Amino acid sequence: MATERRADSVDLTLGASAPWVRRNVGPVAWAVLEALAEHEVTEDRATVSYRSVRDLATELGLSNDTVARALRRLAAHGLAQHHASRSSAGRFAKGHYLLSLPPDVLVRSAIAAPTPPTHQPAPPPEPPTTRRKRLAEHQQLDLLDQPPTGHHP
């Protein structure tokens, strides 16, 4: 099943510190961090991601509460800080996350997306089946007279 890429996503490469960060924040928070970083933009020398909890939850197949916990964990590690903004009318506008990733964790990749294989692998051959010899009715009844160990007398 192919997944559709969003138009604003970027390709990322794992840097040398990625395994250490992934181990410390945990697998769910790491997945949320990757989803944030895939949609990062640079504004005024800051790296931001305009993703909502609901968007992230839908993309990752997680609940909103799970994603919110992961975002709090990322904030506690100083990797993603939520910034709420207000419109000129004083209402809340779309918030964003300020990303503070060390340069050797997730790096924008210059490598093109992998191409799908040109051929489909052949399915494995089905194992040969051997038909069991069907016993006559009187032979089946003889089996009931045998000792329970299954050995023939």
Side-chain angles (χ1 to χ4, degrees):
M1 169 163 52
T3 57
E4 222 175 277
R5 288 179 53 99
R6 287 176 44 132
D8 65 343
S9 67
V10 296
D11 290 326
L12 299 172
T13 302
L14 297 178
S17 295
W20 184 86
V21 173
R22 183 177 47 223
R23 189 174 26 256
N24 284 300
V25 299
V28 175
W30 178 260
V32 171
L33 181 63
E34 281 184 348
L36 285 172
E38 283 177 347
H39 306 287
E40 69 183 20
V41 293
T42 303
E43 293 180 354
D44 298 328
R45 292 185 282 158
T47 304
V48 296
S49 182
Y50 291 95
R51 303 297 308 277
S52 69
V53 171
R54 186 175 293 150
D55 288 342
L56 292 166
T58 301
E59 179 180 332
L60 298 171
L62 301 170
S63 73
N64 292 347
D65 290 339
T66 300
V67 171
R69 267 192 308 276
L71 288 166
R72 285 192 299 271
R73 188 168 178 96
L74 292 173
H77 282 84
L79 298 170
Q81 299 295 324
H82 183 261
H83 287 275
S85 54
R86 293 186 180 260
S87 67
S88 58
R91 295 184 181 168
F92 282 108
K94 187 171 185 176
H96 62 276
Y97 291 91
L98 178 63
L99 301 179
S100 303
L101 298 177
D104 61 344
V105 174
L106 291 171
V107 183
R108 284 181 182 243
S109 178
I111 301 171
T115 57
T118 56
H119 68 284
Q120 293 292 330
E126 291 191 27
T129 57
T130 55
R131 296 184 59 91
R132 291 192 310 172
K133 182 179 171 186
R134 183 166 174 92
L135 299 174
E137 191 173 314
H138 70 280
Q139 292 171 318
Q140 291 175 3
L141 292 174
D142 289 343
L143 291 175
L144 294 174
D145 293 334
Q146 294 179 3
T149 60
H151 296 290
H152 294 279

